[in-house]
Amino acid sequence: MGRTGSVALFLLLLVESAAAPTVSSYARLPWRAIGPALAGGRVSAVAGTPQDDMLYYVGTAGGGVWKSDSGGASWAPVFDSESVGAIGAVAIDPKNENVVWVGTGETNPRNDVSYGDGLYESTDGGATWRRVGLRNARYISRIAVDPNDPNHIVVAAFGDFFRDSPAGGTYVTFDGGRTWSHSLYVGPRSGGIDVAMAAADPRIVYAGIWEFRRTPWTFRSGGPDDGIYKSTDGGTTWTRLTGHGLPAGITGRIGLAVAPSDPDRVYALIESHDGILWRSDNGGETWSAVSDNTLIDQRPFYFTHVEVDPANEDHVYALSELASESTNGGRQFHIIARGVHVDYHAIWIAPNDPKRIIIGEDGGYALTVDGGNVWSFEKNLPIAQAYRVGVSDENPYWICTGLQDNSAWCAPNNSQDPTGIGNRDWIEVAGGDGEWVVPDPVDPNFIVVDTAMGIYTLVNKRTRDSWFVKPVVRNAAETYDARISGVRWNWESPIAFAPWNPHLVWSAGNVVFQSADRGLHWERISPDLTRNIKPHQIPPGGPIVHDTDAEDSDTILDVE
């Protein structure tokens, strides 16, 4: 090409470049997943089917519904076209694996719980969905499908964790979801948190009713109308079970299970002053407290799940911060699934093969086919919940993020590998929850991480050394106790570097701290900047069980 042609080509490119608006150029850029594919996220519901030992569905706290037809080797999202991603319950029709029910709205009511918009059904194995009602029941906790009649379904739903609602309780349909009866409702602050249907006689159904109210700074769990309700007509009418060995006074969250091998054997995990696990051997007529071991329900408002081996009514599983099992009817429990993760929220046991189990937890899911001797914990679900993203000032620049209960990670935005950014390019810079992950603008080899309640860590990503650098800590008690340290820390205590002086780093509880040496020494530079409302600073929860300080309020959420 001659000189004239070169000039013409240059002018043409210049004109095209000038004519293309910047916004349009960025709009054409597609999103791509860059990882880290090293951690999962909270799975709030699991389901399998006796007909196909390769088929599973999982519902997630914020990532929709996923399906595997390869026994967990690979997964595909099947709910992305719907309007919500928070899932509370999943169930497969016991007679037809193509019929799947999904209840939206996560029912683990932390202060950042996400709501749903009703109940959905798929009749083609998750390819398409239709909403079949319960739109105002924002949190659906359990779906029980009659193993003999797929048109008979009972649903437990909580109307609203944050305000009064007429939608909480249980719902029943006998026509496959075309019409619903709101058959059990006890009050605007209460809702259905569990249902258990007797497989041998689906006319017998038990429901757990729970009064709960969430505010930004605390919650209340338990009320006078809470308790176990029983139906003998498939969920059409209900009778409250009281006395006869059940705990007296108010109760909170309830988890229920009926033994498939014996419909008279019923287990109930109950938030109560009088114990933790109750058992009935005569269909709920009388009960006995069989365990007060907190292992099986450490944080009742967040866990409270129990399930029974389909072939052995004395073999019981309980899910809480750890998974546990009992082989003597609930009297003693021991930990199982060690090394999988923590914080368990869902379990499904194959009715025709009780050794095949899937569980859901904050790290994803885990499978066993030998009754729990060996667990497969594959982190192959891209459902991690990222708190925030931080970037460094280097070339290539690094991207950092903290994942809910799945550590804090950093990786270069360009791995200089033609295959892209791989798992090997991500480095773990802190464990637990990594809410704030901020690279040092002066030397990006240093990264400041907050892993809950202002527990700051300084990490050198090149040498992999790390130091705890939290302000005001002089002893272990001060790490969390504001009464000792005089400082209140939020679960997500912020970090920022001063824009006019990148050598200065700030952190904040209810006051602001400043450091000029990457957190080795701190000085307080502000008074209390919160409203300092004393009633908002008491331990959250009650009146039965008080929760951890993860709910602390009257704190600073951001500083910049």
Side-chain angles (χ1 to χ4, degrees), residues 1-17:
M1 182 180 293
R3 180 179 177 83
T4 303
S6 297
V7 173
L9 177 60
F10 172 75
L11 291 175
L12 177 61
L13 292 174
L14 183 63
V15 170
E16 287 185 348
S17 176

Side-chain angles (χ1 to χ4, degrees), residues 94 121 145 214 349 363 538:
E121 180 193 21
V145 183
R214 160 68 64 186
I349 307 171
I538 61 176

Side-chain angles (χ1 to χ4, degrees), residues 44-45 58-65 79 84-90 102-107 140:
S44 49
V58 300
T60 69
V65 181
F79 210 68
V84 296
I87 307 301
V90 179
V102 168
T104 60
E106 186 190 4
T107 51
I140 295 176

Side-chain angles (χ1 to χ4, degrees), residues 174-264:
F174 291 94
D175 56 15
R178 288 189 294 274
T179 61
W180 293 89
S181 170
H182 191 181
S183 58
L184 177 58
Y185 169 79
V186 304
R189 300 172 69 94
S190 297
I193 197 59
D194 205 357
V195 291
M197 181 181 286
D201 185 358
R203 294 173 301 175
I204 299 174
V205 188
Y206 297 86
I209 295 297
W210 181 32
E211 180 178 311
F212 183 87
R213 177 55 49 88
R214 160 68 64 186
T215 66
W217 57 90
T218 191
F219 65 86
R220 177 186 169 89
S221 175
D225 295 323
D226 292 1
I228 302 172
Y229 290 74
K230 180 179 180 180
S231 173
T232 57
D233 53 14
T236 302
T237 61
W238 299 86
T239 300
R240 185 181 180 189
L241 304 181
T242 58
H244 303 285
L246 285 171
I250 65 171
T251 57
R253 184 165 180 163
I254 294 174
L256 297 165
V258 182
S261 60
D262 180 1
D264 286 332

Side-chain angles (χ1 to χ4, degrees), residues 46-370:
V46 296
T49 176
Q51 291 88 1
D52 185 351
D53 59 5
M54 294 287 105
L55 178 62
Y56 296 97
Y57 288 84
V58 300
T60 69
V65 181
W66 293 74
K67 175 183 179 181
S68 175
D69 55 13
S70 59
S74 62
W75 295 84
V78 294
F79 210 68
D80 284 2
S81 297
E82 307 312 317
S83 59
V84 296
I87 307 301
V90 179
I92 305 174
D93 187 321
K95 300 295 186 182
N96 185 350
E97 64 188 45
N98 288 318
V99 178
V100 187
W101 300 86
V102 168
T104 60
E106 186 190 4
T107 51
N108 302 310
R110 298 286 294 270
N111 42 9
D112 57 355
V113 66
S114 296
Y115 60 86
D117 64 355
L119 185 71
Y120 287 76
E121 180 193 21
S122 173
T123 58
D124 53 15
T128 60
W129 300 87
R130 67 184 183 97
R131 187 165 50 209
V132 291
L134 283 59
R135 184 165 189 168
N136 293 326
R138 294 160 70 94
Y139 307 94
I140 295 176
S141 56
R142 185 63 69 95
I143 304 165
V145 183
D146 188 329
N148 302 324
D149 178 7
N151 291 315
H152 172 213
I153 301 149
V154 183
V155 175
F158 206 103
D160 198 321
F161 289 129
F162 293 88
R163 61 184 178 182
D164 286 357
S165 169
T170 65
Y171 295 79
V172 63
T173 179
F174 291 94
D175 56 15
R178 288 189 294 274
T179 61
W180 293 89
S181 170
H182 191 181
S183 58
L184 177 58
Y185 169 79
V186 304
R189 300 172 69 94
S190 297
I193 197 59
D194 205 357
V195 291
M197 181 181 286
D201 185 358
R203 294 173 301 175
I204 299 174
V205 188
Y206 297 86
I209 295 297
W210 181 32
E211 180 178 311
F212 183 87
R213 177 55 49 88
R214 160 68 64 186
T215 66
W217 57 90
T218 191
F219 65 86
R220 177 186 169 89
S221 175
D225 295 323
D226 292 1
I228 302 172
Y229 290 74
K230 180 179 180 180
S231 173
T232 57
D233 53 14
T236 302
T237 61
W238 299 86
T239 300
R240 185 181 180 189
L241 304 181
T242 58
H244 303 285
L246 285 171
I250 65 171
T251 57
R253 184 165 180 163
I254 294 174
L256 297 165
V258 182
S261 60
D262 180 1
D264 286 332
R265 176 67 65 86
V266 188
Y267 291 91
L269 270 178
I270 305 175
E271 182 182 359
S272 166
H273 289 297
D274 299 332
I276 293 178
L277 180 65
W278 277 258
R279 191 183 83 200
S280 174
D281 296 324
N282 52 17
E285 291 185 14
T286 60
W287 297 79
S288 58
V290 291
S291 178
D292 60 0
N293 186 351
T294 56
L295 166 68
I296 63 179
D297 205 10
Q298 286 102 329
R299 303 176 70 191
F301 91 100
Y302 194 42
F303 299 114
T304 312
H305 302 285
V306 62
E307 194 54 86
V308 188
D309 184 325
N312 182 354
E313 64 272 17
D314 287 325
H315 190 189
V316 191
Y317 296 88
L319 302 183
S320 188
E321 289 184 13
L322 300 172
S324 60
E325 70 174 343
S326 169
T327 57
N328 59 5
R331 289 189 293 274
Q332 287 92 29
F333 282 83
H334 62 270
I335 298 170
I336 61 171
R338 293 181 184 272
V340 171
H341 203 269
V342 294
D343 294 353
Y344 294 83
H345 301 283
I347 183 172
W348 179 85
I349 307 171
N352 59 334
D353 180 9
K355 291 186 176 181
R356 180 164 66 92
I357 305 170
I358 182 171
I359 52 178
E361 23 77 17
D362 274 14
Y365 71 97
L367 282 161
T368 182
V369 294
D370 64 1

